[in-house]
Each structure stands twice: as structure tokens, then as C-alpha cells.
Amino acid sequence: MVMNTRPIGIFDSGVGGLSILRELQKQLPGENYVFLADQAHVPYGEKTPAQLRTLAVRITKFLLTYDIKLLVIACNTATCYAINTLRNRFDLPIVGTVPAVKPAAQYSRSKTVAVIGTPATIKSDALTMLIETHARGVRVVRIGCKGLEDTVETGLLDGARADTLLNHYLSRVPRSADLLVLGCTHYPFLKNRIRRSLGRRIRLIDSGSAIARRSKSVLIASGTANTRGRAGLTRYFTTGSPENFASVASKLLKKPVRALRADI
Ligand code: DGL
């Protein structure tokens, strides 16, 4: 039994990263976590590449003050634009989140899939490269969804707004598509609404469990996994309002969450 209690650092622009955190907690329950939601700067999907890189560097520096052993970028947008910068600059293992195009292309029978994500992710070179590398011979329809993350940030209080946006964006998913990739970590919290809006059987695929599996193998390979039986602790920080974060996060995770304010 190994007792490496150094935490895993994880960040997103907001509460979306919790969809990755919950998978990590499931697959690596003994680990400690430091989660940062950069809510002072949400939405990342409308930031420039330079802004995204600057924010990612500042957040990583903050998380390193907690002596993290692994950094998980629980944000597709930040991964697409800043993972190389972080890897060049910081000497620790980094796992990023990208839209699950590779498994989608493998599983698709109709050879047509759609990807929804933030405007920045959808227009990124990183996504183009992912498609060129892993989805040869598959039609991939890219749909940028401005404002959708905000319906999750506000705790889905205004469900009607989420439905209006989803009906608008999902009308562009071709009838022939048999898989929809959720290319933003906020969207898994909208799964039921997405299914209802599509109104037909289509498989939804997100990156959560794959990111947790990858993180686990990185920790095991570097001999830093914490395999003790007892549940680890998670500390939550936000650059926005801790009260607001705590209330939305408690609702999304279905358990009480307390948060502190962080300045990055
Ligand atoms: N959750 C983020 C992602 O996966 C970004 C949402 C946003 O801030 O625009 O891309």
C-alpha cells in the first residue's frame, strides 16, 4: 500500500471541471485533490489564445503552491490552447482534456459524428489535428456553442434558456450522426437535456472516464499513486464567489461542498 499524499491539481474555467473531478474521485478515491475554478474569467471559450495561456500559467503556479504531483486540465479549451505552454514551462506530469473524437470515430457505424464545444475549442487547430489523426474517413461536424457553459455555471436555474440554446445548436447535428461528442467539460451536466433536445437515440460521449484512467496510469507509472483505502480530501477554490461556487457545486455533485477564494 502506497501513501503518497501529495494532491492532484485540477482546474477549469468554472464548475465544468467537476465532471472530470467526479470521475477522478471514482477511479482514484484515495487521492487528495485541489480543484480550482477560474470563475473570475469564465467563459474561456471566448478568450484569445494569449489570454488562455496567461491564465493557465497563473493557475498552475497557484496549484503548485500546494505541492501537486499531477496537473489535470479539466477544460478542453485550456488544453487546446495552453497545454504545450504548460508542458514547456513546468516540470510535472500534465494530463489534458480533449474532445473524445478518437473513440467516437472508432465506434461510429454511420461514419458521421458531431462534436459540440466552446467556440474556441471548435475552431482550434488542436481539434483539426485530432480529427485528421484519429477520424480519417469519418465525417465530423463541428458545432461551437456560445453561452451553453453559462447555463451550467448558474446551476441550471434557468432550464428554459439551456433548452433554447440546445434546440438551436443541436438542430445542426446531422440525422446520420450516431454519436455526439461532448467537447466541453460543462456539458455532461446537461446530458438529460441534450438527449431530450435531440429526441432520438444517439450515443453521447464525454472524456471524463478516459481522463481519470489516463491520470491513474500516469501516477502508477511514476510511482506516485496513493492506493490507501481511505477516501482522500478535496479542497475547492474559486477566483469568483466561494458562496456561489459552493451552492452550484453542491447541486451538481449532489453532496455538500465548501470553497475558498483564490487570487491567481
Ligand atoms: N469547461 C470548459 C471546456 O471544457 C470551458 C467552458 C468555458 O469557460 O467557456 O472547454
Side-chain angles (χ1 to χ4, degrees):
M1 200 159 64
V2 188
M3 285 281 285
N4 187 320
T5 55
R6 288 169 64 206
I8 296 172
I10 167 166
F11 78 89
D12 179 36
S13 59
V15 294
L18 298 173
S19 70
I20 303 287
L21 177 71
R22 68 182 175 186
E23 291 295 333
L24 285 163
Q25 288 172 330
K26 224 186 271 171
Q27 291 188 39
L28 291 163
E31 299 291 349
N32 297 311
Y33 297 91
V34 180
F35 181 92
L36 180 104
D38 189 15
Q39 293 179 302
H41 303 106
V42 64
Y44 275 13
E46 292 165 45
K47 297 257 176 306
T48 65
Q51 286 172 322
L52 290 166
R53 284 192 293 270
T54 304
L55 290 168
V57 167
R58 277 161 53 187
I59 291 167
T60 305
K61 284 185 182 163
F62 170 83
L63 291 171
L64 281 169
T65 64
Y66 288 86
D67 193 25
I68 58 170
K69 60 185 174 187
L70 168 73
L71 175 69
V72 177
I73 311 175
C75 174
N76 293 264
T77 313
T79 303
C80 285
Y81 290 93
I83 192 166
N84 292 338
T85 302
L86 297 184
R87 285 198 169 132
N88 288 336
R89 190 147 172 180
F90 299 101
D91 184 22
L92 86 164
I94 301 178
V95 173
T97 305
V98 290
V101 167
K102 187 180 173 183
Q106 272 164 7
Y107 301 144
S108 175
R109 293 189 175 181
S110 66
K111 297 294 166 215
T112 304
V113 304
V115 186
I116 53 173
T118 67
T121 296
I122 290 301
K123 66 172 188 231
S124 69
D125 292 343
L127 181 58
T128 303
M129 265 174 60
L130 204 63
I131 293 171
E132 280 172 5
T133 315
H134 298 293
R136 289 215 169 268
V138 176
R139 180 178 170 219
V140 182
V141 176
R142 302 158 70 144
I143 306 168
C145 304
K146 188 168 186 278
L148 198 50
E149 75 300 325
D150 189 50
T151 64
V152 182
E153 282 299 307
T154 52
L156 302 173
L157 297 177
D158 185 2
R161 187 173 133 72
D163 290 339
T164 306
L165 287 172
L166 283 170
N167 290 341
H168 172 68
Y169 291 123
L170 297 181
S171 66
R172 287 162 48 194
V173 176
R175 298 280 330 158
S176 55
D178 57 355
L179 271 131
L180 176 65
V181 177
L182 309 185
C184 169
T185 55
H186 283 71
Y187 302 168
F189 293 113
L190 294 167
K191 264 186 183 168
N192 291 340
R193 288 180 184 280
I194 290 173
R195 282 207 182 89
R196 209 168 47 211
S197 170
L198 285 163
R200 66 187 167 97
R201 282 170 70 90
I202 171 168
R203 186 155 163 203
L204 308 182
I205 176 160
D206 64 72
S207 314
S209 62
I211 300 308
R213 271 199 308 279
R214 175 90 193 115
S215 302
K216 191 172 179 174
S217 66
V218 168
L219 291 179
I220 289 170
S222 61
T224 55
N226 185 350
T227 53
R228 66 178 179 172
R230 210 150 37 93
L233 292 176
T234 303
R235 273 188 276 197
Y236 298 90
F237 292 93
T238 176
T239 56
S241 149
E243 294 75 24
N244 189 44
F245 175 88
S247 103
V248 175
S250 303
K251 194 171 155 186
L252 297 177
L253 293 178
K254 300 189 178 77
K255 65 182 180 192
V257 163
R258 287 205 315 213
L260 293 173
R261 196 184 144 84
D263 286 311
I264 59 156

